[in-house]
Amino acid sequence: MADPIETILTMIIVGQVCISVPILLSRVAKHAMNLPLALFLLASGILALNSTISSVLPDYYALYTAVAFPALFLLCPSLWFYVEGLTADTPWQLGKRLLKHYGLIAPAILISIMMLFLPKEVHTAIFIHDKDIKDPFVSTLLMGILVMMLLWLVQCAYTLLKIVRKLDQYRNRLKDVFSNHDHKELKWMNWLLFIAVSVWLCSVVTVFFSSLFEHALFTSTTEMFLSLLLIWCLTHFGLQQKPALAMLDNGAIKKLIKDHDNSTDDKDGPTKKYKRSALDQTQSARIAIKINSAMEQDKLYLDSDLSLQKLSKHLNISPNYISQTLNETLSISFFDFVNQWRIEAAKPQILANSSTVLDIALEVGFNARSSFYKAFKQTTGKTPSEFRKDHVSS
């Protein structure tokens, strides 16, 4: 008998998947990264049906396991490709060379075929009642499943590390191009990864405890609830998130981002990135003066959508030269440089205490109160209220 709560959670997950996948597939022509996201959601929906199928439709459970097992190996590469496409600086495409990441699906399908050859009563005894069956074929099948599950766990850990590293690189690249990136830095991905790891750990710990102590530390309902949060997070944000860097239309900006990627692992840092640049120290000093003048006289920092591309057009100077000047001569990223000017413009208004913090933040070029607080604390070492209090008391 299926748990009613678990069944409801399963139906919600399946409903989300059924609504989201067709929408994502319709957008593949415009943004190819929607394809791996659709695959991830589809695989998640299939896996979510496990308890419901075994309880409500036991006659079809053998067929279900044969489909669900390969679906498990769609998750990691699909999530990785989605993150890669979301953070790419050029329109992402799923080429043939990338299909090797789905390599574990082939042996998984082979094991699924072996499952289909099991007699119904043997399949039920193994996968539903968890009984030991003394048979060479069954032993070989179970050993294959064990090996594949261990490989899947390794794949999960490796994919997680790659995603964390990719997101860190992406957020650093945003600082070279945008002065505000509140809706571009993919903060929701942190929650997504946390939930994904929680689902993974919940599953592993449940299997471990049920095998050794004959009871589960977490119920399947807990796992389904975490899975629902994971699917909701992906569908809610995935349907509205666009690749910020890939949508840039300036070739010089994209070259700058590519140079940034090539220098990420280099010990020389920015020096290596600009090794082939024709910009010398004298020219860089002149550009630094022009950049500061544009901020002081033209007050470009007040534009909340100010980007390296906009500044480049305003000064009629290559984005690469501006970025090199900021990083090498002024030792600061474009993001931090612009926000320092915004904070300086905000200080007199904070002391005057004539407007709310939000109004001041929006007036000097920030898009949100939270980003203003963070930048203000980073620049001054104090919150706006602490800054006002210290100056009033002195």
Side-chain angles (χ1 to χ4, degrees):
M1 184 71 179
D3 184 343
I5 297 178
E6 189 175 334
T7 301
I8 292 173
L9 292 175
T10 300
M11 293 302 101
I12 294 174
I13 290 175
V14 173
Q16 285 184 315
V17 171
C18 290
I19 293 173
S20 303
V21 169
I23 296 175
L24 290 168
L25 291 177
S26 69
R27 298 177 179 179
V28 169
K30 187 174 182 180
H31 295 296
M33 67 176 190
N34 286 312
L35 178 58
L37 179 56
L39 289 175
F40 181 91
L41 292 175
L42 181 62
S44 298
I46 292 173
L47 294 170
L49 288 168
N50 181 61
S51 297
T52 302
I53 297 293
S54 63
S55 302
V56 180
L57 300 170
D59 292 340
Y60 295 93
Y61 191 64
L63 178 62
Y64 168 77
T65 55
V67 175
F69 191 70
L72 186 67
F73 298 90
L74 282 172
L75 296 177
C76 289
S78 295
L79 183 59
W80 163 246
F81 286 147
Y82 173 65
V83 173
E84 189 178 56
L86 202 56
T87 58
D89 53 275
T90 56
W92 183 86
Q93 297 294 330
L94 181 62
K96 291 183 179 179
R97 65 181 182 83
L98 300 177
L99 295 179
K100 63 182 181 181
H101 292 271
Y102 288 102
L104 289 178
I105 293 180
I109 292 175
L110 179 61
I111 289 177
S112 293
I113 294 173
M114 294 176 66
M115 289 181 186
L116 292 175
F117 279 97
L118 289 174
K120 181 181 176 181
E121 60 275 9
V122 174
H123 187 280
T124 301
I126 296 173
F127 295 103
I128 295 182
H129 301 301
D130 197 23
K131 294 182 178 180
D132 292 330
I133 304 294
K134 304 297 182 181
D135 182 85
F137 180 80
V138 172
S139 298
T140 302
L141 173 61
L142 294 179
M143 182 59 67
I145 293 175
L146 176 61
V147 171
M148 290 299 294
M149 291 305 297
L150 290 174
L151 290 174
W152 180 74
L153 292 176
V154 172
Q155 186 184 49
C156 286
Y158 178 63
T159 301
L160 176 64
L161 291 175
K162 286 205 305 180
I163 289 176
V164 169
R165 184 166 179 249
K166 190 73 173 179
L167 291 174
D168 184 59
Q169 293 174 349
Y170 171 73
R171 286 159 185 163
N172 287 332
R173 287 184 321 212
L174 288 178
K175 289 188 174 183
D176 278 340
V177 181
F178 299 103
S179 64
N180 272 318
H181 49 69
D182 300 290
H183 303 296
K184 303 181 182 73
E185 57 180 330
L186 308 180
K187 288 183 179 180
W188 60 273
M189 271 287 177
N190 297 333
W191 285 105
L192 174 69
L193 295 177
F194 175 77
I195 298 170
V197 172
S198 298
V199 173
W200 171 56
L201 289 177
C202 180
S203 302
V204 172
V205 172
T206 298
V207 171
F208 176 78
F209 268 76
S210 60
S211 298
L212 294 185
F213 305 108
E214 297 184 353
H215 68 84
L217 184 63
F218 299 106
T219 65
S220 55
T221 303
T222 304
E223 185 178 340
M224 289 302 299
F225 179 72
L226 291 173
S227 299
L228 175 59
L229 288 178
L230 177 66
I231 299 301
W232 178 86
C233 187
L234 264 177
T235 53
H236 176 74
F237 293 103
L239 288 173
Q240 53 186 311
Q241 193 72 58
K242 296 180 180 179
L245 296 176
M247 296 180 71
L248 294 173
D249 59 358
N250 189 294
I253 294 287
K254 291 186 176 182
K255 182 180 184 302
L256 169 67
I257 295 171
K258 184 177 180 181
D259 289 342
H260 185 286
D261 285 349
N262 292 337
S263 68
T264 300
D265 299 324
D266 198 279
K267 296 179 181 179
D268 295 331
T271 303
K272 177 68 175 179
K273 177 167 64 172
Y274 304 114
K275 186 176 180 180
R276 298 182 181 181
S277 174
L279 185 68
D280 57 33
Q281 292 183 351
T282 302
Q283 292 174 311
S284 183
R286 293 197 195 101
I287 292 175
I289 293 173
K290 290 183 178 181
I291 295 173
N292 280 299
S293 177
M295 294 297 163
E296 183 177 3
Q297 297 178 12
D298 301 329
K299 301 188 184 302
L300 296 184
Y301 57 84
L302 297 179
D303 179 5
S304 61
D305 293 323
L306 181 64
S307 64
L308 185 64
Q309 184 178 5
K310 282 188 176 182
L311 180 58
S312 171
K313 290 181 178 179
H314 181 83
L315 298 176
N316 196 26
I317 299 174
S318 163
N320 275 292
Y321 282 1
I322 294 176
S323 180
Q324 182 177 350
T325 298
L326 290 170
N327 283 276
E328 289 190 339
T329 304
L330 301 179
S331 300
I332 194 171
S333 68
F334 174 75
F335 174 82
D336 291 330
F337 173 77
V338 175
N339 281 341
Q340 279 189 5
W341 278 94
R342 289 170 175 166
I343 296 302
E344 289 303 314
K347 285 180 181 178
Q349 298 187 54
I350 292 292
L351 295 178
N353 198 22
S354 58
S355 302
T356 65
V357 173
L358 177 58
D359 288 338
I360 295 173
L362 297 176
E363 187 176 338
V364 298
F366 287 93
N367 281 331
R369 187 174 184 268
S370 58
S371 55
F372 172 70
Y373 259 88
K374 183 178 179 180
F376 198 94
K377 183 72 179 288
Q378 180 180 336
T379 302
T380 66
K382 303 172 185 177
T383 64
S385 57
E386 291 172 343
F387 178 80
R388 183 191 301 121
K389 183 179 179 181
D390 290 348
H391 281 72
V392 170
S393 60
S394 60

